[in-house]
Amino acid sequence: MESQQHSESFSVADRPGKVARLANEEFDLLIIGGGITGAGAARDAASRGMKVALIEAKDYAIGTSSRSSKLIHGGIRYLENMEFGLVFEALSERRLLFELAPHLVHPLRFVLPLYKGGRVGMFKMGLGMWLYDALSMFEAPELHERLTAKESTERLPLLQTKDLMGSYVYSDAYMDDDRLCIETHRAAAKLGTVAANYVTANDAEIKNGKIASVGATDTTTGKSFRIRSKHVISTTGPWTDLVASQLLGNWKKILRPSKGVHLTFDRKRLPLHQAVVMAADSQKRIVFGIPRHEMIIVGTTDTDFSGDPYDVGATEQDVKYLLNVASEYFPGAKLTANDIISTYAGVRPLVDDGAASESKTSREHVIINDPRGVTFVAGGKYTTYRRMAEHTVEEALKSFSVEDQVKFGHGDTKKALNPLATVELMEQSRRSAAEWAKEYDIDRIAMDVMIDRHGAEALKLITEGRHVANYTASSEDKVWAFEAVHAIKHTMCRGLIDFYVRRSPLFLARHDHGLGLLALISKVFAKELGWSDSKRQEESAAIQAYVKHELAWKLKFGISPSSV
């Protein structure tokens, strides 16, 4: 169990030692893929006492796990598909995640407006709301409420009033998806998991019909080596078919990848205080307007995708589609492409179930045990990642001896991910915010943001990052300097793109995408990682190029590259 394991740090400084261990030791389990499912499986397996290795080809959460709608939800629309079991499981996990990660998962009210001529009327939707509350065991942060048309527009002044019948309000949650993934990795490391990012899996050595080792390459050094393990788990999401072919050769594709695009807006430009559920079209698609900390997210699309998931991005068509939906629901906002701060796109690793459209494809996960010693998992919802990881490890254990099945029979993943960010410590930290802000000369609002993001660990960020505080006079900028030190020391963050995109909201939420902080942040990284001037310039150029590449669609709308 958790308390019986030795602790492993999750620092960039320790990464070379972890790579050496991957090359020289033998493991019970090798997990390929560092998204949320891989992180969850590593934590689950390590909590059972298994010796676990994990490799990620690029950065943790680089794929779907940092490009979701950033919601923890049961899935109202899955009720239409009669997927009651999926909704019940998701709502149960939502309740647990409030306890496991209160600094990353936050309750949020959702408003669902209904209009004349829509697919679902007030009565039928009311039944669905009662069912949603019942499936949550009536333990949602708040139960649903029904609003008249007038009450709806009082709640949402920007809402389209024409043909509005009324709305329903219900509870779900929003989250920091990338940081939830990385925090799960940290928790797995404390249990002894040996993990390294920027390590690719190349091939498999099969002896007596079973995988004996996996060929790997540390892309930061170019060094190749082999990782020996009793069993392999693939949690590679939209890369599942590719990795399976590399490892096993003969493989029948199982995925129907789907692209999801999101837009981000300034909260002042689209002032939503509660999330809004928008019915997009006759395909039964749903688009959300989600207030999340420092920004509003509008998304998502749901279209088939056939390219390399690393190359996925927003197109002019995607942007117009989402902008039209948002404008239809909030005509008074008069939104244009110029109001969009950022976009991000991801690929859902949906399993092909023969559905007529992408949006109807089930979000249930599928686990495949290959007799050659590999367990594949694909599909699923972020909300149920913990259960999906548990199921995957249990399936993998079926390939182990009876003695090992008994030895590793029970996991424990229902404890807080971060002992410094429990519900109790979050509340205590908020009560101490004014005192801490004064003691450490930090703006109160900035202090509140740090506590919301890290709980009591906010103090650790300040004390560990105190040596870079004099790099800037701005209290807000100090916080990002502290965040950069923390990312390097505790999240294996190796570069500026990793930090800007998956350790902080800078790229998505700030009008300058955080480039105004580039001199400061790059100075912190150079100090902590010993970068030369040329390395610092290379990293600075890389994040600038990333921003231009991700937002290339702006040129189609005549938006000046200088604003990108």
Side-chain angles (χ1 to χ4, degrees):
M1 297 302 171
E2 299 207 11
S3 61
Q4 299 172 332
Q5 304 301 307
H6 67 285
S7 176
E8 289 276 343
S9 72
F10 208 60
S11 167
V12 172
D14 295 320
R15 184 183 170 280
K18 292 181 185 293
V19 173
R21 289 187 61 189
L22 290 173
N24 295 318
E25 299 180 16
E26 184 172 2
F27 298 87
D28 293 314
L29 209 55
L30 167 62
I31 298 170
I32 302 173
I36 188 59
T37 309
R43 183 180 181 227
D44 181 274
S47 77
R48 298 167 185 263
M50 300 182 78
K51 187 174 181 180
V52 182
L54 182 144
I55 57 174
E56 160 57 48
K58 293 186 181 289
D59 187 30
Y60 304 111
I62 196 171
T64 317
S65 297
S66 62
R67 297 165 179 268
S68 73
S69 294
K70 307 187 189 300
L71 296 177
I72 294 293
H73 63 130
I76 281 282
R77 76 181 182 89
Y78 305 140
L79 294 178
E80 273 197 281
N81 297 341
M82 311 292 280
E83 294 180 283
F84 302 130
L86 179 63
V87 175
F88 177 77
E89 182 179 65
L91 291 172
S92 299
E93 289 298 301
R94 182 193 71 184
R95 182 169 62 249
L96 181 58
L97 282 167
F98 285 139
E99 301 289 325
L100 289 181
H103 60 313
L104 300 170
V105 180
H106 308 274
L108 182 65
R109 293 294 269 173
F110 287 67
V111 182
L112 200 166
L114 295 174
Y115 292 87
K116 293 176 183 176
R119 289 187 299 103
V120 182
M122 291 293 288
F123 177 74
K124 184 178 178 181
M125 184 57 72
L127 293 177
M129 288 292 155
W130 279 113
L131 179 57
Y132 202 62
D133 281 342
L135 288 170
S136 75
M137 308 295 287
F138 295 101
E139 291 184 359
E142 295 179 67
L143 298 182
H144 81 271
E145 53 184 319
R146 175 175 173 151
L147 304 181
T148 64
K150 181 182 178 183
E151 290 169 333
S152 300
T153 52
E154 288 173 351
R155 187 79 60 98
L156 291 168
L158 290 175
L159 191 63
Q160 170 68 267
T161 57
K162 183 181 179 182
D163 294 330
L164 178 64
M165 297 187 295
S167 62
Y168 283 93
V169 186
Y170 65 95
S171 288
D172 262 322
Y174 71 97
M175 57 138 172
D176 294 348
D177 54 359
D178 37 25
R179 292 183 58 238
L180 180 53
C181 176
I182 292 165
E183 195 81 298
T184 305
H185 276 293
R186 290 181 72 194
K190 288 176 182 176
L191 299 176
T193 294
V194 180
N197 51 359
Y198 294 97
V199 176
T200 61
N202 307 322
D203 59 67
E205 175 191 24
I206 298 179
K207 291 183 178 178
N208 301 319
K210 295 275 189 179
I211 289 184
S213 69
V214 169
T217 300
D218 178 355
T219 60
T220 69
T221 63
K223 179 183 176 182
S224 293
F225 53 94
R226 303 204 71 82
I227 305 173
R228 293 168 294 146
S229 70
K230 294 179 181 177
H231 195 82
V232 176
I233 290 180
S234 167
T235 55
T236 50
W239 291 274
T240 296
D241 288 330
L242 175 63
V243 170
S245 297
Q246 287 178 330
L247 295 180
L248 303 177
N250 56 327
W251 175 260
K252 181 182 178 182
K253 291 184 178 181
I254 63 170
L255 294 185
R256 180 179 183 173
S258 168
K259 182 173 81 164
V261 173
H262 298 79
L263 319 177
T264 66
F265 295 87
D266 192 304
R267 292 192 73 150
K268 294 177 182 177
R269 188 65 188 84
L270 187 58
L272 304 180
H273 301 291
Q274 297 181 327
V276 180
V277 185
M278 300 173 275
D281 52 35
S282 59
Q283 295 294 314
K284 296 186 179 182
R285 290 178 184 156
I286 286 178
V287 172
F288 293 99
I290 308 158
R292 199 205 83 151
H293 296 313
E294 54 291 282
M295 61 185 161
I296 301 293
I297 298 173
V298 172
T300 179
T301 60
D302 200 352
T303 54
D304 282 327
F305 181 80
S306 59
D308 184 339
Y310 287 128
D311 297 333
V312 68
T315 65
E316 178 186 11
Q317 184 180 2
D318 296 324
V319 172
K320 284 181 177 178
Y321 171 78
L322 290 174
L323 202 54
N324 286 340
V325 174
S327 298
E328 184 180 330
Y329 272 77
F330 307 111
K334 298 186 179 349
L335 296 171
T336 71
N338 283 289
D339 296 312
I340 301 169
I341 296 177
S342 281
T343 55
Y344 65 96
V347 179
R348 303 178 193 87
L350 303 182
V351 177
D352 192 350
D353 61 0
S357 69
E358 315 88 83
S359 60
K360 290 181 181 177
T361 302
S362 175
R363 268 55 176 174
E364 290 274 19
H365 64 271
V366 170
I367 299 173
I368 298 172
N369 255 341
D370 189 278
R372 286 164 286 188
V374 192
T375 300
F376 296 91
V377 57
K381 284 164 46 67
Y382 202 121
T383 303
T384 55
Y385 87 88
R386 193 196 64 84
R387 289 285 290 144
M388 182 163 53
E390 184 178 61
H391 292 162
T392 303
V393 174
E394 288 171 349
E395 283 298 312
L397 280 171
K398 291 178 180 178
S399 299
F400 284 65
S401 67
V402 174
E403 291 79 9
D404 279 348
Q405 289 182 39
V406 173
K407 179 180 177 182
F408 304 134
H410 299 286
D412 182 6
T413 56
K414 293 187 177 181
K415 296 177 181 176
L417 288 176
N418 187 333
L420 293 176
T422 62
V423 172
E424 294 76 20
L425 283 177
M426 289 288 290
E427 293 173 355
Q428 290 177 23
S429 299
R430 290 187 177 113
R431 288 195 295 268
S432 303
E435 177 188 337
W436 292 351
K438 183 178 180 180
E439 181 179 354
Y440 295 103
D441 190 28
I442 293 175
D443 177 78
R444 173 60 194 275
I445 294 175
M447 190 74 242
D448 288 339
V449 169
M450 289 183 70
I451 291 171
D452 278 347
R453 284 172 59 82
H454 300 280
E457 194 173 17
L459 280 184
K460 191 173 183 179
L461 265 73
I462 296 170
T463 55
E464 286 191 339
R466 192 178 292 170
H467 63 286
V468 299
N470 61 356
Y471 288 4
T472 177
S474 164
S475 184
E476 182 186 358
D477 292 355
K478 273 183 198 174
V479 169
W480 293 116
F482 296 155
E483 289 273 3
V485 173
H486 178 266
I488 294 164
K489 288 183 177 296
H490 300 289
T491 75
M492 213 179 282
C493 181
R494 299 191 65 259
L496 295 184
I497 293 177
D498 295 350
F499 179 73
Y500 270 72
V501 181
R502 286 173 292 278
R503 306 303 192 283
S504 74
L506 293 175
F507 167 67
L508 292 181
R510 290 177 62 122
H511 287 277
D512 68 350
H513 313 294
L515 297 182
L517 293 170
L518 188 52
L520 169 64
I521 301 300
S522 65
K523 186 176 181 180
V524 174
F525 269 78
K527 165 76 172 174
E528 296 300 310
L529 296 177
W531 286 353
S532 64
D533 287 343
S534 61
K535 174 64 174 175
R536 184 179 172 189
Q537 291 170 7
E538 177 188 323
E539 286 282 332
S540 297
I543 182 59
Q544 291 172 308
Y546 178 91
V547 171
K548 287 184 178 180
H549 177 267
E550 287 293 301
L551 303 180
W553 59 265
K554 287 195 172 189
L555 297 174
K556 299 284 187 178
F557 289 87
I559 301 173
S560 169
S562 62
S563 67
V564 171

